[in-house]
């Protein structure tokens, strides 16, 4: 009796699933599946005990951000000797409270970051780089993206490999979203193809603007799901599912963007990217990694005013974004990581700018960080033969900490070998 | 049971859909008239026509307008400036050197953008489509990207080398690549010298270019790198730097001798894994979206094995192998037709060539290709574009659909201020030869032209319904609307 009942329920459910499978988009199918089935499908499998809803937001500062004018060693006379015109004045720099920040300060335009620091939400890693630094933008960017200095930046991206190592089967759509017209190398992998768009308004078909009558026919075609005329496992079926996923994602993403945000964002490019990210996080898109980029850091000439503006735009965007996440109640789910392909030369050049350099600080932001400044400021006198800072922390150590501790995956599998962790996380908050 | 026969398809089985399939795979699609022309030739002659393309005159195509000297060796003045800048550490001289470099970088990147457009235009205009398709295949096989060599002229030279040998001999391509300046820079062989060997090119030559993983050892890489020492370039040309070359005895792939880089390439070509690896690449390009070679199984594995035998038999000459594939029963099997996902280049160039759409902004086309994940001269890495399902996700699906709409109507995705004047396209030519252009006949024709064998009856019904909703009026407007709808179908991504 009991047995028969169970079986009937099971049959009904499996029938429901069969019909659902041809019409529902992939991720809805999976959530339906998860409700009914204890063997829940996992888009990305974190280590047991690590929540699946954690998010990483990457902010790339493209062009080579001047680390020395970001975290400023105002206590070191060498700094002002090397940078008579572009050195940030001691009385203007934002000094850190507490002993860890002795002689160090943030750029005056980084006030929103100093607020995060004071709230215990900012972790600064000093002197980050890699052996035999490459000073070409492209090459060094590729090295950071692939986490492979040995190969000169060849291969797939580290985020792509993270997904390769954690995804089974046909992955959910939108696991990785990059704001920009082309997905960065960091997000390339074997399994998950990064979703990239610059403007949510382009994340849709625009043919219906030709004539309103087209909209309905288009929707009928693209929301039909898998046609009974094609085999479920065929490429045609994959395309039909993706088309439906695209429609549903577009609805969600564009609806999310239309909602007012809880804070006002500045009109800068990074701010608008992060605003989009915040909206998508709020909409519960199921995305694990968001990637954003801010350009313009290649300050070879007339650096002072330009770098001030860059710092201001960067810090304001990140500050507002964090506040938005707090207001949403999503702040504890999100870890933000910033990097640049290299820092800049210690000595200013003849055009009151700086040339391509090497080591620089990285920021990791979130409720889960162990706040403070990790590692010593690189020496301004013991330089390499180009007059550049010598790194002491491999950037892959930072990646490894994030992959293992925050994302709950295995950095050894993703990065090819073990890297010592940097103590940037509060163990009890990431465990 | 799908046909695995490499025997030629019977002439009577070579109809419209078969000829269209041939054009989709061995070219970039074609207009209904072109498809009909191939049908009348019959399969044997049609394949000859496409493959023996050297008989087709293309002298009228514009040559690329490129400056070979953007990165020419420094002039006397520049050398003096550099000496001041770096030996004497003069700040002002350094700033000048920097400014010159930045100016050249800007110039070179603009030239790259021009060359990208030139190539896409060439693919659209060429009367030898297979030559361009093969050139793109070799670009993807011996993948070099601009990021890694930052010299647009070297990429153009390489592109011309691929085009010259496109349907010639794979052996010549492999021989050419170890002396190709763009590749030597990209894989750092210009830094490979006898004191400090750099293994990058040696590794990829075996792993990605000729043999595939599992067919060589780490020791072969080390010894191969020694053979390649001193293979560098001087300005735009290959240069053998004898002083940097390690002339000693090496053991590579089981053979021992005082090998140089050219010998190393010959050793790879003589290895039994190489013909099959070449066959795999041809199969992946022209027949099916197969996984990596080590994961290919079953019938596909056997097909690749048989083609590998042919590649070996023909001593790497590509034409006979291509002809066999394009004529084979297997190639026209239902399981093969309409089973591949179009690359962004195939989608873009194919749509223009199939519908004969008017000239649109070249810049917009190359931008769209980049967003769809395929920027020519800039594959993501040395392994090239992975292809297949990786082309399509929720964002690229929209870009594909919007690009098609743009090509047909001239309406760019980002600009809502479109007017009909921008369309400049007469779609009625597509149905001009229909005896009675009834709604049914029109839907049948457009679906044949754009979807071929991927058309389902459900889709035809949906299109038919659209026309019905518009009182079965067959006008340029309703035809354009149907074209936009068809190219926005998930199946339109197939070829």
């Amino acid at each position: 009796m009991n047995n028969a009942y169970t079986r009937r329920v099971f049959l009904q459910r499996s029938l429901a699933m069969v019909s659902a499978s041809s019409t529902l988009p992939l991720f809805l199918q999976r959530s339906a599946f998860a409700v009914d089935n204890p063997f829940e499908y996992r888009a990305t499998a974190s280590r047991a005990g690590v929540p699946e809803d954690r998010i990483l937001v990457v902010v790339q500062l493209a062009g080579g951000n001047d680390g020395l004018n970001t975290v400023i060693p105002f206590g070191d006379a060498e700094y002002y000797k090397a940078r008579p015109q572009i050195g940030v004045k001691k009385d203007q720099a934002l000094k850190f409270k507490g002993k860890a920040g002795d002689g160090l300060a943030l750029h005056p335009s980084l006030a929103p970051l100093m607020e995060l620091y004071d709230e215990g939400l900012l972790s600064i890693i000093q002197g980050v780089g890699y052996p035999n630094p490459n000073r070409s933008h492209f090459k060094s960017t590729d090295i950071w993206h692939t986490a492979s200095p040995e190969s000169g930046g060849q291969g797939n991206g580290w985020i792509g490999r993270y997904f390769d190592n954690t995804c089974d089967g046909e992955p959910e759509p939108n696991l990785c979203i990059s704001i920009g017209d082309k997905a960065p190398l960091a997000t390339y992998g074997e399994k998950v193809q990064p979703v990239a768009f610059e403007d949510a308004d382009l994340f849709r078909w625009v043919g219906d603007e030709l004539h309103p009558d087209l909209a309905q026919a288009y929707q009928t075609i693209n929301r039909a799901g898998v046609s009974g005329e094609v085999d479920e496992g065929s490429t045609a079926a994959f395309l039909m599912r993706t088309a439906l996923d695209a429609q549903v994602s577009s609805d969600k993403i564009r609806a999310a963007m239309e909602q007012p945000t809880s804070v006002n964002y500045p009109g800068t490019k990074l701010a608008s990217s992060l605003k989009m990210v915040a909206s998508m996080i709020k909409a519960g898109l199921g995305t694990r990694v968001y990637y954003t980029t801010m350009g313009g850091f290649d300050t070879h000439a007339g650096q002072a005013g330009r770098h001030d503006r860059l710092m201001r735009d960067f810090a304001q965007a990140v500050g507002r974004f964090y506040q938005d996440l707090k207001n949403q109640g999503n702040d504890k789910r999100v870890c933000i990581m910033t990097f640049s392909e290299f820092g800049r030369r210690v000595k200013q050049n003849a055009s009151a700018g700086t040339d391509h350099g090497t080591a620089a600080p990285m920021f990791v932001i979130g409720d889960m960080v162990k706040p403070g400044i990790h590692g010593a400021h690189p020496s301004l006198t013991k330089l390499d033969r180009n007059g550049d800072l010598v790194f002491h922390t491999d950037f892959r150590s930072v990646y490894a900490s994030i992959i293992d501790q925050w994302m709950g995956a295995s950095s050894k599998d993703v990065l090819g070998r073990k890297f010592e962790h940097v103590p940037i996380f509060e163990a009890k908050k990431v465990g | 049971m799908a046909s695995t026969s490499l025997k030629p398809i019977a002439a009577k089985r070579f109809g419209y859909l078969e000829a269209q399939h041939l054009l989709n795979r061995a070219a970039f699609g074609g207009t209904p008239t072109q498809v009909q022309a191939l049908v009348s030739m019959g399969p044997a002659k049609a394949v000859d026509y496409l493959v023996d393309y050297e008989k087709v005159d293309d002298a009228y195509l514009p040559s690329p307008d490129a400056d070979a000297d953007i990165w020419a060796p420094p002039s006397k003045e520049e050398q003096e400036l550099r000496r001041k800048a770096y030996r004497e550490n003069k700040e002002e001289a350094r700033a000048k050197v920097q400014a010159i470099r930045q100016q050249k970088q800007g110039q070179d990147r603009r030239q790259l953008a021009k060359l990208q457009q030139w190539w896409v235009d060439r693919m659209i205009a060429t009367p030898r489509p297979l030559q361009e398709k093969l050139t793109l295949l070799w670009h993807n096989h011996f993948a070099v990207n601009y990021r890694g060599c930052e010299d647009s002229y070297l990429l153009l030279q390489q592109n011309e080398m691929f085009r010259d040998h496109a349907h010639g001999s794979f052996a010549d391509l492999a021989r050419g690549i170890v002396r190709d300046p763009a590749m030597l820079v990209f894989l750092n062989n210009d830094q490979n010298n006898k004191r400090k060997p750099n293994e990058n090119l040696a590794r990829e030559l075996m792993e990605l270019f000729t043999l595939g993983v599992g067919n060589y050892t780490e020791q072969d890489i080390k010894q191969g790198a020694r053979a390649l020492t001193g293979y560098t370039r001087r300005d735009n040309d290959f240069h053998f730097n004898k002083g940097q070359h390690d002339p000693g005895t090496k053991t590579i792939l089981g053979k021992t001798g005082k090998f140089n880089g050219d010998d190393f390439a010959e050793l790879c070509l003589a290895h039994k894994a190489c013909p099959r690896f070449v066959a795999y690449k041809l199969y992946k390009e022209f027949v099916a979206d197969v996984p990596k070679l080590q994961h290919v199984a079953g019938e596909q594995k056997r097909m690749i094995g048989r083609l590998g035998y042919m590649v070996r038999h023909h001593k790497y000459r590509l034409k006979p192998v291509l002809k066999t594939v394009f004529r084979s029963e297997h190639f026209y099997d239902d399981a093969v037709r309409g089973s591949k996902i179009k690359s962004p280049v195939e989608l873009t160039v194919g749509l223009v060539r199939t519908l004969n759409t008017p000239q649109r902004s070249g810049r917009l086309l190359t931008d769209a290709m980049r967003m769809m994940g395929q920027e020519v001269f800039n594959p993501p890495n040395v392994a090239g574009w992975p292809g297949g399902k990786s082309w399509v996700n929720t964002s690229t699906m929209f870009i594909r659909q919007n690009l098609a709409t743009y090509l047909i109507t001239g309406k760019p995705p980002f600009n809502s201020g479109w007017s009909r004047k921008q369309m400049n396209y007469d779609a009625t030519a597509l149905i001009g030869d229909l005896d009675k252009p009834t709604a049914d006949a029109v839907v049948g024709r457009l679906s044949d032209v754009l979807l071929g064998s991927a058309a389902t009856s459900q889709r035809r019904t949906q299109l038919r319904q659209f026309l019905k909703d518009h009182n079965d009026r067959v006008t340029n407007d309703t035809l354009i609307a149907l074209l936009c709808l068809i190219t926005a179908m998930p199946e339109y991504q197939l070829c």
Side-chain angles (χ1 to χ4, degrees):
Chain A
M1 180 70 183
N2 195 19
N3 230 350
Y5 172 76
T6 316
R7 186 193 276 164
R8 201 184 64 208
V9 171
F10 177 71
L11 278 176
Q12 278 171 350
R13 282 182 176 170
S14 41
L15 280 177
M17 291 217 353
V18 167
S19 59
S21 70
S22 55
T23 51
L24 281 180
L26 270 182
F27 60 88
L28 291 186
Q29 267 181 53
R30 277 170 194 152
S31 43
F33 193 71
V35 171
D36 283 347
N37 197 304
F39 304 102
E40 181 184 342
Y41 178 87
R42 281 165 190 237
T44 52
S46 300
R47 203 174 50 243
V50 175
E52 302 281 331
D53 66 349
R54 288 182 177 176
I55 293 168
L56 173 67
V57 176
V58 178
V59 179
Q60 178 181 345
L61 309 178
N65 176 40
D66 185 10
L68 270 180
N69 274 13
T70 303
V71 177
I72 298 156
F74 72 88
D76 190 337
E78 291 295 327
Y79 171 72
Y80 294 103
K81 246 172 45 198
R83 300 182 157 203
Q85 285 159 291
I86 65 158
V88 176
K89 304 277 176 300
K90 186 175 171 177
D91 55 343
Q92 285 170 5
L94 307 173
K95 288 161 203 83
F96 292 103
K97 293 183 192 120
K99 204 162 169 284
D102 263 0
L104 296 176
L106 284 180
H107 187 281
S109 302
L110 293 179
L113 286 186
M114 190 53 105
E115 280 175 35
L116 293 172
Y117 183 85
D118 290 339
E119 287 178 58
L121 298 167
L122 171 63
S123 179
I124 299 171
I125 309 112
Q126 292 274 41
V128 188
Y130 56 89
N132 306 315
N134 196 304
R135 289 168 182 79
S136 141
H137 291 293
F138 283 153
K139 279 268 164 81
S140 196
T141 302
D142 287 359
I143 286 168
W144 278 80
H145 281 213
T146 57
S148 178
E150 293 80 11
S151 73
Q154 290 288 348
N156 280 326
W158 72 280
I159 295 167
R161 297 201 304 268
Y162 154 73
F163 286 116
D164 288 346
N165 276 284
T166 51
C167 290
D168 280 327
E170 202 170 289
E172 284 197 42
N174 314 326
L175 276 177
C176 179
I177 294 184
S178 161
I179 309 297
D181 70 353
K182 185 190 171 195
L185 181 60
T187 62
Y188 275 78
E190 305 274 333
K191 290 187 190 158
V192 174
Q193 291 314 312
V195 169
F197 55 89
E198 218 166 5
D199 179 344
D201 207 39
L202 292 179
F203 198 66
R204 67 189 177 100
W205 187 57
V206 298
D208 52 2
E209 289 172 9
L210 296 165
H211 198 288
D213 284 3
L214 284 167
Q216 199 203 337
Y218 170 84
Q219 295 292 337
T220 308
I221 289 164
N222 277 277
R223 289 183 194 263
V226 178
S227 153
E229 293 176 68
V230 304
D231 178 33
E232 273 281 335
S234 66
T235 308
F238 159 78
L239 289 166
M240 291 167 182
R241 279 194 298 271
T242 306
L244 176 54
D245 282 334
Q247 301 307 316
V248 177
S249 304
S250 170
D251 293 347
K252 274 194 166 188
I253 288 171
R254 289 188 307 126
M257 303 300 172
E258 277 168 23
Q259 296 287 318
T261 47
S262 72
V263 298
N264 283 322
Y265 283 87
T268 61
K269 192 164 167 270
L270 180 64
S272 89
S273 299
L274 289 173
K275 182 182 174 184
M276 287 160 79
V277 172
S279 301
M280 290 187 277
I281 290 174
K282 189 178 171 200
L285 230 49
T287 304
R288 300 289 320 259
V289 178
Y290 290 98
Y291 200 102
T292 62
T293 305
M294 170 175 175
F297 286 89
D298 199 16
T299 50
H300 283 287
Q303 174 173 316
R306 262 179 78 194
H307 196 251
D308 293 352
R309 283 191 294 279
L310 290 163
M311 290 288 96
R312 182 195 63 203
D313 292 351
F314 162 61
Q316 282 186 352
V318 171
R320 294 292 166 86
F321 175 61
Y322 200 82
Q323 186 58 46
D324 199 0
L325 293 178
K326 265 190 194 167
N327 298 348
Q328 290 178 10
N330 280 321
D331 51 321
K332 295 188 171 55
R333 290 174 54 205
V334 179
C335 173
I336 305 164
M337 182 200 96
T338 77
F339 81 97
S340 192
E341 70 264 37
F342 41 62
R344 307 192 75 84
R345 192 141 302 151
V346 176
K347 217 164 165 250
Q348 71 173 63
N349 64 24
S351 325
T354 47
D355 297 327
H356 302 178
T358 51
M362 282 176 79
F363 295 143
V364 177
I365 299 162
D367 179 69
M368 73 300 293
V369 305
K370 185 178 281 177
I373 302 168
H374 303 284
H377 197 285
S379 163
L380 299 187
T381 47
K382 287 181 194 132
L383 304 174
D384 71 8
R385 61 192 179 92
N386 287 288
D388 286 322
L389 300 173
V390 177
F391 84 106
H392 57 64
T393 298
D394 194 301
F395 69 94
R396 290 167 294 179
S397 284
V398 181
Y399 288 0
S401 311
I402 292 173
I403 294 165
D404 290 324
Q405 296 184 274
W406 179 243
M407 304 304 274
S410 156
S411 69
K412 187 169 173 271
D413 294 342
V414 176
L415 302 175
R417 64 181 172 93
K418 273 217 170 293
F419 286 90
E420 206 182 320
H421 285 177
V422 188
I424 47 174
F425 292 117
E426 205 73 77
K428 62 176 186 296
K429 288 187 176 168
V430 292
Chain B
M1 177 63 193
S3 169
T4 56
S5 171
L6 286 174
K7 276 195 308 216
I9 183 180
K12 63 174 189 300
R13 279 192 51 217
F14 190 74
Y16 188 92
L17 292 178
E18 286 73 18
Q20 181 185 49
H21 170 66
L22 176 62
L23 272 176
N24 283 343
R25 295 289 181 89
F28 297 100
T31 62
T33 317
Q34 289 166 337
V35 176
Q36 285 298 355
L38 289 202
V39 174
S40 351
M41 287 181 192
K45 279 193 180 147
V47 168
D48 283 345
Y49 176 75
L50 288 171
V51 177
D52 296 331
Y53 55 70
E54 68 280 3
K55 296 176 184 160
V56 179
D57 174 39
D58 71 346
Y60 61 88
L61 290 174
S63 316
D65 160 32
D67 181 352
D69 296 322
I70 296 177
W71 293 113
S75 63
K76 280 259 156 59
E77 292 82 5
E78 245 183 281
Q79 282 177 15
E80 173 60 18
L81 203 59
R82 285 190 194 191
R83 197 183 54 74
K84 271 195 190 141
Y86 298 111
R87 295 250 174 84
E88 301 173 18
N89 219 355
K90 291 258 167 47
E91 282 295 336
E92 244 169 88
R94 277 174 92 125
K96 272 189 197 149
V97 170
Q98 191 88 35
I100 292 171
R101 188 183 304 137
Q102 283 195 331
Q103 184 266 331
K104 286 181 181 175
Q105 270 174 354
Q107 201 184 340
D108 197 52
R109 281 172 208 186
R110 284 191 296 279
Q111 174 154 296
L112 174 76
K114 255 175 46 186
L115 289 173
Q116 288 172 324
Q117 279 181 30
W118 162 77
W119 193 10
V120 171
D121 286 347
R122 186 179 178 101
M123 290 192 260
I124 289 173
T126 181
R128 301 175 173 184
L130 180 60
Q131 186 175 30
E132 294 311 311
K133 205 155 205 189
L134 286 162
T135 305
L136 185 61
L137 164 62
W138 302 128
H139 173 43
N140 194 25
H141 180 82
F142 301 105
V144 169
N145 63 31
Y146 182 74
R147 298 174 67 83
C149 80
E150 293 194 60
D151 190 328
S152 58
Y153 193 79
L154 295 189
L155 287 173
L156 174 63
Q157 281 190 156
Q158 187 189 60
N159 186 259
E160 284 170 344
M161 191 263 279
F162 293 154
R163 188 170 292 104
D164 288 346
H165 297 291
H167 70 359
S169 159
F170 177 82
D172 288 338
L173 287 160
R175 289 169 189 137
I177 210 69
V178 298
R179 289 168 164 260
D180 177 67
M183 183 62 81
L184 294 172
V185 173
F186 181 63
L187 290 183
N188 319 109
N189 209 69
D190 51 349
Q191 295 155 34
N192 184 14
N193 59 64
K194 62 183 175 192
R195 273 167 302 280
K196 236 181 122 188
N198 183 308
E199 298 174 359
N200 220 348
L201 177 57
R203 179 184 302 277
E204 305 308 3
L205 182 61
M206 291 188 284
E207 179 180 334
L208 294 172
F209 302 159
T210 60
L211 307 179
V213 283
N215 294 303
Y216 55 88
T217 63
E218 287 297 310
Q219 200 53 32
D220 291 325
I221 293 174
K222 286 202 166 62
Q223 302 277 304
R226 288 177 58 213
L228 284 165
T229 48
Y231 275 53
T232 183
R233 56 117 177 200
R234 188 176 274 170
D235 194 9
N236 292 330
D237 300 318
F238 171 74
H239 173 65
F240 178 62
N241 188 337
K242 205 169 170 213
Q244 299 293 354
H245 180 68
D246 175 348
T249 304
K250 299 111 187 159
T251 299
I252 307 172
L253 299 169
K255 301 279 190 316
T256 303
K258 293 186 172 175
F259 300 128
N260 63 20
D262 303 67
D263 301 328
F264 181 23
E266 296 301 334
L267 291 170
C268 294
L269 289 164
H271 192 281
K272 69 176 183 350
C274 188
R276 196 173 68 122
F277 193 69
V278 175
Y280 161 72
K281 278 301 177 94
L282 295 175
Y283 195 81
K284 187 169 190 274
E285 178 70 23
F286 294 108
V287 186
D289 285 336
V290 284
K292 289 190 171 169
L293 181 56
Q294 62 269 34
H295 303 304
V296 179
E299 186 185 284
Q300 290 178 325
K301 189 175 176 182
R302 283 190 294 278
M303 291 304 302
I304 290 167
R306 283 160 66 195
L307 288 174
Y309 182 80
M310 285 190 66
V311 171
R312 197 170 77 174
H313 175 79
H314 291 289
K315 300 190 169 62
Y316 291 111
R317 279 181 300 119
L318 297 163
K319 274 170 79 168
V321 184
L322 291 168
K323 286 186 178 181
T324 304
V325 170
F326 294 147
R327 281 173 186 153
S328 69
E329 286 184 6
H330 177 65
F331 181 72
Y332 295 96
D333 191 87
D334 284 346
V336 168
R337 275 155 47 179
S339 68
K340 277 185 108 250
I341 295 184
K342 290 170 186 160
S343 69
V345 168
E346 287 172 323
L347 178 84
T348 310
V349 177
L351 195 146
V352 175
R353 291 185 68 122
T354 300
L355 291 183
N356 202 11
T357 54
Q359 173 90 41
R360 305 286 183 207
S361 151
R363 181 63 196 266
L364 212 146
L365 260 56
T366 48
D367 280 354
M369 286 181 197
R370 187 182 66 242
M371 291 186 226
M372 293 185 286
Q374 191 177 32
E375 182 185 9
V376 296
F377 296 126
N378 237 343
N381 53 45
V382 66
W385 294 285
K389 286 183 183 172
S390 83
W391 290 127
V392 180
N393 65 28
T394 53
S395 58
T396 58
M397 183 65 98
F398 287 122
I399 299 162
R400 284 171 168 249
Q401 297 174 337
N402 287 334
L403 174 75
T405 299
Y406 170 69
L407 290 170
I408 295 165
T409 66
K411 188 205 169 309
F414 43 80
N415 178 4
S416 48
W418 173 82
S419 90
R420 183 183 298 226
K421 275 184 229 134
Q422 284 160 260
M423 195 151 74
N424 188 27
Y425 178 53
D426 177 14
T428 56
L430 291 165
I431 55 160
D433 64 321
L434 288 180
D435 289 339
K436 282 199 187 112
T438 60
D440 281 330
V442 165
V443 165
R445 166 58 63 85
L446 298 189
S447 124
D448 278 350
V449 170
L450 288 173
L451 297 172
S453 28
T456 61
S457 62
Q458 184 195 13
R459 294 299 188 221
R460 284 208 194 85
T461 313
Q462 285 162 342
L463 295 169
R464 187 66 194 78
Q465 186 61 45
F466 179 83
L467 263 190
K468 206 178 227 166
D469 293 344
H470 293 81
N471 304 321
D472 284 344
R473 278 197 314 267
V474 177
T475 62
N476 198 41
D477 276 4
T478 51
L479 288 173
I480 295 276
L482 288 172
L483 293 177
C484 289
L485 286 174
I486 297 172
T487 53
M489 285 177 177
E491 304 89 304
Y492 182 67
Q493 312 308 328
L494 292 168
C495 76

